[in-house]
Amino acid sequence: MLMRKGFTILECIVSLLVLVMISGLIQFVIPMTSKINTHSWKDATDWYLFLQRLEDPAYKFRLVKVTSNCLELNSMVNGRNYFLLGGKKAVYLKTMQGGYMPLLVNYQPYSLTFDESGPNSVTVRCRLDNGEEKNAKISFQQEW
């Protein structure tokens, strides 16, 4: 009997078909997983970073005035007054001197509301771009 080295044409065709099917699945699955992961984690992360910035001890914000769509805060560090309000594209922290800093960008415009829930705390409600409703209670520094 002759011993042949190499593959038959049938083995080559089968292996190529398997490779084509695997590459097709990879091209279909990878974009879906990256899209799902970035949206679900990004929205939650942005919301918690927004809350953390407001309660940050580096600013020591003190609650001055609460309306349904605006918070007036005072920083015990620098003595400046800040306004937290929602706009068309983001939730901003503005100063009386004219500067502003976007704190939350993935929210539905004008869906941010505030309710005073205690002497130094506020309940914040917001709807994110993905339709998820978020609410949290923020506690501010007490006056000294």
Side-chain angles (χ1 to χ4, degrees), residues 20-78:
V20 167
M21 288 176 22
I22 289 173
S23 67
L25 285 173
I26 288 173
Q27 288 178 354
F28 178 72
V29 170
I30 286 179
M32 289 180 57
T33 58
S34 64
K35 186 177 182 180
I36 290 170
N37 287 340
T38 56
H39 287 300
S40 62
W41 288 106
K42 184 181 181 322
D43 291 341
T45 304
D46 286 350
W47 174 252
Y48 289 114
L49 285 173
F50 164 70
L51 298 175
Q52 190 250 345
R53 286 182 195 133
L54 291 176
E55 291 182 329
D56 193 353
Y59 293 110
K60 292 186 181 176
F61 283 129
R62 186 174 47 197
L63 190 60
V64 176
K65 184 179 176 184
V66 179
T67 62
S68 64
N69 59 358
C70 181
L71 281 184
E72 185 176 349
L73 306 170
N74 179 271
S75 174
M76 292 191 282
V77 174
N78 61 17

Side-chain angles (χ1 to χ4, degrees), residues 73-89:
L73 306 170
N74 179 271
S75 174
M76 292 191 282
V77 174
N78 61 17
R80 291 185 180 167
N81 281 354
Y82 295 88
F83 296 96
L84 181 70
L85 47 100
K88 289 182 181 179
K89 297 184 180 182

Side-chain angles (χ1 to χ4, degrees), residues 61-129:
F61 283 129
R62 186 174 47 197
L63 190 60
V64 176
K65 184 179 176 184
V66 179
T67 62
S68 64
N69 59 358
C70 181
L71 281 184
E72 185 176 349
L73 306 170
N74 179 271
S75 174
M76 292 191 282
V77 174
N78 61 17
R80 291 185 180 167
N81 281 354
Y82 295 88
F83 296 96
L84 181 70
L85 47 100
K88 289 182 181 179
K89 297 184 180 182
V91 176
Y92 295 103
L93 189 62
K94 290 186 170 188
T95 65
M96 295 289 287
Q97 292 77 21
Y100 68 92
M101 179 173 69
L103 295 180
L104 182 66
V105 293
N106 61 341
Y107 92 112
Q108 290 182 359
Y110 306 111
S111 66
L112 184 71
T113 60
F114 304 104
D115 293 317
E116 193 167 5
S117 56
N120 295 314
S121 61
V122 173
T123 302
V124 180
R125 289 182 181 82
C126 180
R127 180 172 296 181
L128 300 179
D129 278 341

